[in-house]
Amino acid sequence: MSETPACIIRQARLDDLPRLTEIEIDAFATLAEALGAVREPHALPRDVLQRSLDAGLLLVAADDEDQSIAFLAAEEIETSLYVIEFDVCQAWQRRGTGRRLMLAVIEMARAGGFSGVTLTTDRDVPFNAPFYASLGFIEPEPEAMPQFLQKKLDYEIETGMDADRRIAMVLAFGEP
């Protein structure tokens, strides 16, 4: 899809899946530190990754030895491409890898005829909401919030995430 001297963005393969779990757990340490949280890391169930893979909505960033260093799992909900999970291993953070991966999924969503890209994230962590805002994502007004996205947000809050910090974000293509 896109290539830089540091990494290549490509569709994930079945043999990438075990590495993606390792990346998610590794990346969790950075998030836990930013949140000041002391929680056990956890990873997406394999079947969630498999569904994204089967749908062609699982992208990886790979190094020059084709080792996965970051991933983004998405799913189609209504007319939107929803980001389920997005992680960059610690050794590749703050090097533009995540930005390249997000730009690739945005490009993929546009090319696929989606109305936009949606996600939920932390309001305050610099590499969460502020990062997505730098790519054009906005927090929708309550009356413009897609119902499925509100349900995702509500579920996250019901299962223990901080209601004051969790937000939904939308990058809409064209007219809202």
Side-chain angles (χ1 to χ4, degrees):
M1 291 189 151
S2 65
E3 187 173 310
T4 69
C7 68
I8 185 169
I9 307 300
R10 63 169 171 78
Q11 289 284 331
R13 301 182 301 253
L14 186 59
D15 65 336
D16 288 312
L17 295 187
R19 174 71 181 138
L20 304 188
T21 297
E22 294 170 6
I23 291 168
E24 186 174 0
I25 290 170
D26 181 64
F28 179 81
T30 303
L31 180 62
E33 182 180 320
L35 293 173
V38 181
R39 295 192 326 221
E40 287 297 313
H42 64 280
L44 285 177
R46 173 108 180 214
D47 65 314
V48 174
L49 291 172
Q50 185 68 53
R51 280 194 304 272
S52 287
L53 178 71
D54 293 346
L57 300 174
L58 183 59
L59 298 180
V60 298
D63 64 14
D64 58 3
E65 295 178 4
D66 201 34
Q67 175 79 15
S68 299
I69 55 174
F71 77 95
L72 189 149
E75 66 181 330
E76 181 176 350
I77 303 179
E78 296 176 5
T79 63
S80 174
L81 196 59
Y82 174 75
V83 176
I84 301 168
E85 187 68 32
F86 171 43
D87 291 296
V88 179
C89 69
Q90 290 182 70
W92 284 83
Q93 292 172 0
R94 296 173 186 78
R95 296 174 63 177
T97 305
R99 182 169 295 277
R100 289 190 296 272
L101 193 53
M102 278 302 300
L103 290 172
V105 83
I106 291 166
E107 178 184 314
M108 184 173 74
R110 282 185 195 278
F114 291 93
S115 64
V117 180
T118 57
L119 53 87
T120 59
T121 193
D122 185 274
R123 174 184 311 281
D124 300 323
V125 174
F127 52 85
N128 279 202
F131 165 73
Y132 297 120
S134 78
L135 294 169
F137 284 81
I138 62 165
E139 183 177 0
E141 294 297 326
E143 63 275 4
M145 176 82 74
Q147 186 175 8
F148 79 87
L149 199 52
Q150 184 63 57
K151 286 181 181 179
K152 294 272 187 190
L153 196 57
D154 291 344
Y155 176 77
E156 291 175 355
I157 293 166
E158 288 169 14
T159 57
M161 294 190 172
D162 186 339
D164 292 331
R165 296 182 67 128
R166 280 320 272 179
I167 62 169
M169 298 188 81
V170 174
L171 175 64
F173 305 146
E175 293 297 321

